[in-house]
Amino acid sequence: MALTGRAALLAALGSIPVGILEPSWTGIFAVNGPLALACACDYALAAPVRRLQLSRSGDSSTRLGDTAEVTLTITNPSRRPLRARLRDAWPPSSWRPGTEIAASRHELTVPPGERRRATTRLHPVRRGDHRADRVTIRSYGPLGLFSRQGAHEVPWSVRVLPPFTSRKHLPSKLARLRELDGRTSVLTRGEGTEFDSLREYVPGDDTRSIDWRATARQSAVAVRTWRPERDRHILIVLDTGRTSAGRVDDAPRLDASMDAALLLAALASRAGDRVALLAYDRRIRALVQGRAAGDVLPSLVNAMATLEPELVETDARGLTATALRAAPRRSLIVLLTTLDAAPMEEGLLPVLPQLTQRHTVLVASVADPRIARMAQARGDMEAVYEAAAAAQAQDERRRTAEQLRRHGVTVVDATPEELAPALADAYLALKAAGRL
């Protein structure tokens, strides 16, 4: 890198005996007038920085784990060519560790009256909105002895969306849904099923499915076939309180809950059900309602992008009241929260009857696989104590889950990798049983 300013001049004068140099710039210029003049000319010929015109274009959103490209267009309106080094500053979480310097620095030359583009490739490591900081430009003269430097504010934002890693399970769940949805005959009776069609009775059919009026109009006994009811309402509730901040496999519990919610939303919207989202701790953090089937998933992904766990205790009464307002008619309420005994017994359990008497309730929770590994550990005294603590924690979760089931709640307790498909299976089981 070329030296600039006083450092460059002193380096150029390095062959002059130190005793000859004066401490002031005047003394230096007096020593070597031609060199000083060359430096002054180099500075004068550097293109002005503040007159440059900058604009941005490119990606405004990306999924966590993917890259985003943001292009910076630099227009040089002056009569001097721009020879510059440029730093396009973004938050540290916009790049993988150790890659920021290479990704944010650019060198370019812009002839007078022309424009050039520099593309910054972001690789975000956190969800949310990443906003561009200032663009710093250092403009050099033709000799590289002196430079002009300035900064420009060029606003731009890239929204980093949840990765939706459980999407890989969607094809198998949709195949199961097609079986339930009448493409394979489903002969079930019970609350929440829809009449599908009439067909001739065959031995083994449930006699309660016989349609006597249709039988009277024809010579053969007719039976009704049923299919899971469509256009049901599903409210997905994300608990964003302090328990959602706990890290499991180096990621917050909230991230695993969001991934499971996205798979359920994609599956339910394909089934013709209406899906809504509520994120709550002590106030509403996100609310998505009334979206068409094709717009449900993009709306949920966009709303989840900026969600972060809040280090406050969740207000269970407020959450219940808000959920009841968001679901005025009978719905399936899917609550993604913790099964830890203390917050459950002091928070949700006392107000749970308000939900179960009007709605079907499903509670899903992220289990820590390390607890299961600790429960199997043996070998020394420390491992035995860890195994005892893990077994106690597992027993508490099982007791909490059993309390919920006694209230008629369906419970899903699974590790981050298994939570999304397990929640989808629970939804399909409720649909097949006619409980939706």
Side-chain angles (χ1 to χ4, degrees), residues 51-124:
R51 292 179 57 192
L52 298 175
Q53 300 167 3
L54 283 75
S55 62
R56 292 188 187 273
S57 61
D59 297 330
S60 58
S61 66
T62 187
R63 290 194 179 276
L64 185 64
D66 294 342
T67 59
E69 294 189 352
V70 179
T71 299
L72 193 64
T73 302
I74 303 97
T75 303
N76 179 16
S78 72
R79 297 181 179 179
R80 307 167 198 163
L82 173 68
R83 307 169 187 86
R85 289 190 175 97
L86 177 151
R87 178 176 182 260
D88 189 6
W90 289 75
S93 58
S94 300
W95 288 281
R96 290 173 175 169
T99 64
E100 186 266 342
I101 293 178
S104 63
R105 267 68 167 180
H106 306 278
E107 292 190 13
L108 68 160
T109 300
V110 185
E114 297 187 14
R115 68 184 63 179
R116 293 292 186 270
R117 293 181 175 86
T119 298
T120 301
R121 289 177 175 82
L122 308 178
H123 199 294

Side-chain angles (χ1 to χ4, degrees), residues 3 6 35 54 56 67-68 99 113 122 142 213 220 227 243 247 266 282 297 336 351 400 424 427:
L3 296 174
R6 184 173 180 175
L35 180 59
L54 283 75
R56 292 188 187 273
T67 59
T99 64
L122 308 178
R213 291 186 178 181
R227 64 181 179 186
T243 56
R247 301 187 74 83
R282 287 189 172 274
L297 202 59
L336 290 131
V351 297
T400 302
Y427 162 77

Side-chain angles (χ1 to χ4, degrees), residues 309-344:
E310 301 292 331
L311 300 182
V312 296
E313 199 71 41
T314 300
D315 178 10
R317 293 186 181 276
L319 184 150
T320 301
T322 306
L324 290 173
R325 288 195 299 270
R329 57 176 292 184
R330 184 168 183 83
S331 308
L332 169 64
I333 294 182
V334 179
L335 176 57
L336 290 131
T337 185
T338 181
L339 282 181
D340 293 345
M344 185 64 69

Side-chain angles (χ1 to χ4, degrees), residues 234-370:
I234 298 175
L235 175 63
I236 301 173
V237 182
L238 289 174
D239 178 359
T240 56
R242 66 169 184 83
T243 56
S244 67
R247 301 187 74 83
V248 178
D249 287 344
D250 201 32
R253 281 187 167 92
L254 181 60
D255 286 20
S257 297
M258 290 193 299
D259 192 55
L262 289 174
L263 180 62
L264 176 60
L267 182 61
S269 60
R270 297 284 188 92
D273 294 335
R274 298 181 180 273
V275 181
L277 171 73
L278 169 66
Y280 192 94
D281 41 72
R282 287 189 172 274
R283 64 180 179 88
I284 297 174
R285 301 292 175 177
L287 181 61
V288 179
Q289 288 180 301
R291 297 296 193 274
D295 193 40
V296 166
L297 202 59
S299 299
L300 264 60
V301 168
N302 193 55
M304 291 178 182
T306 56
L307 287 179
E308 294 292 342
E310 301 292 331
L311 300 182
V312 296
E313 199 71 41
T314 300
D315 178 10
R317 293 186 181 276
L319 184 150
T320 301
T322 306
L324 290 173
R325 288 195 299 270
R329 57 176 292 184
R330 184 168 183 83
S331 308
L332 169 64
I333 294 182
V334 179
L335 176 57
L336 290 131
T337 185
T338 181
L339 282 181
D340 293 345
M344 185 64 69
E345 292 174 357
E346 297 174 7
L348 182 63
L349 282 173
V351 297
L352 188 60
Q354 299 178 33
L355 292 175
T356 55
Q357 67 183 0
R358 292 177 52 183
H359 303 287
T360 301
V361 180
L362 191 159
V363 172
S365 180
V366 181
D368 190 345
R370 184 169 177 269

